Amino acid sequence: MQITGERALANIADAAFYNKSITVEDGQTVPIDALMSELAQHVTDENFMQVTLNINGGIEADGTTLSLETNVINLPLRYQNQLRKMILPDSEALVVNLYMIVENPLVSQSRLKIALVSSVSTYEDDTDSAQAKIASWFDEQLAHIVSEQASAETEAQADVEI
C-alpha cells in the first residue's frame, strides 16, 4: 500500500485518521484480541489508523500505552510538527507501514519505544505472522515494564530499610 506525500500530510494535519482508544485497568487482562480486531478492520484504510490500549490511564497518568499505527515514518501520529518537516508533499509513492508503539516511563529515557511490524501490504499477505509478532513484542515490553517496576520497588524497599 502506498500513499502520496500530499495525502499523508493531509491525514496528519487534519487528524483525518481512524482513532480508537481502549481502556484497561491494572489487573485486568490486556484485550489484545480487541486490538487485533480493530487493526484488521482499519489497517488498509485510505487514511492512517491509530488503535491504542491505555493501561492504568495510559502514559498521561504514568501508566502504559500500547499503540498500533500506520504511517510513512516511524513517529507517532501526534507528532504533527516533526512529521510535517519530514514528509515531502510532492512525494508520489510512500510506503505505508504498520508500527507498534509502547509508552511508559520505564521503557526508555524518552518513555517511548517504536518498532516496525511490516508494510501494510506485507501485513495483508501474512496477517497471522504479523499479528503473532505484535502480540510477542507487546508481551516482551509489558514483561520488561513489570521487571523494571519490581526492581524499582526492591530498591525503594532497600532504601527504606537503611
Side-chain angles (χ1 to χ4, degrees):
M1 183 171 153
Q2 295 183 337
I3 192 170
T4 65
E6 185 177 347
R7 178 71 185 187
L9 288 168
N11 284 344
I12 294 162
D14 299 337
F17 50 86
Y18 177 78
N19 186 356
K20 172 75 175 191
S21 183
I22 302 168
T23 302
V24 182
E25 296 304 320
D26 196 20
Q28 290 182 318
T29 302
V30 175
I32 200 76
D33 291 341
L35 185 75
M36 295 299 183
S37 175
E38 291 292 328
L39 171 64
Q41 290 177 44
H42 298 284
V43 70
T44 58
D45 286 359
E46 188 173 301
N47 297 330
F48 296 141
M49 60 129 249
Q50 175 186 56
V51 182
T52 304
L53 285 174
N54 290 309
I55 304 168
N56 291 336
I59 189 66
E60 292 83 18
D62 285 334
T64 302
T65 299
L66 305 176
S67 303
L68 292 171
E69 296 186 7
T70 53
N71 202 339
V72 294
I73 295 178
N74 66 341
L75 281 176
L77 292 168
R78 71 174 183 276
Y79 287 32
Q80 291 183 359
N81 291 336
Q82 293 89 335
L83 289 167
R84 282 188 209 139
K85 293 174 187 175
M86 299 172 81
I87 300 172
L88 301 175
D90 58 350
S91 300
E92 288 299 316
L94 299 171
V95 175
V96 179
N97 292 313
L98 176 61
Y99 295 99
M100 306 171 282
I101 303 169
V102 62
E103 296 175 273
N104 181 284
L106 301 173
V107 295
S108 69
Q109 250 184 337
S110 66
R111 303 166 45 125
L112 175 70
K113 195 169 192 179
I114 302 170
L116 174 69
V117 176
S118 65
S119 70
V120 170
S121 299
T122 302
Y123 173 87
E124 288 181 279
D125 292 342
D126 193 1
T127 302
D128 292 340
S129 292
Q131 287 186 349
K133 180 178 181 178
I134 293 165
S136 174
W137 192 78
F138 281 154
D139 283 347
E140 289 172 16
Q141 301 311 308
L142 291 171
H144 172 77
I145 291 166
V146 168
S147 173
E148 290 295 314
Q149 286 173 332
S151 294
E153 289 171 6
T154 301
E155 286 178 23
Q157 186 71 23
D159 289 344
V160 169
E161 292 175 2
I162 292 179

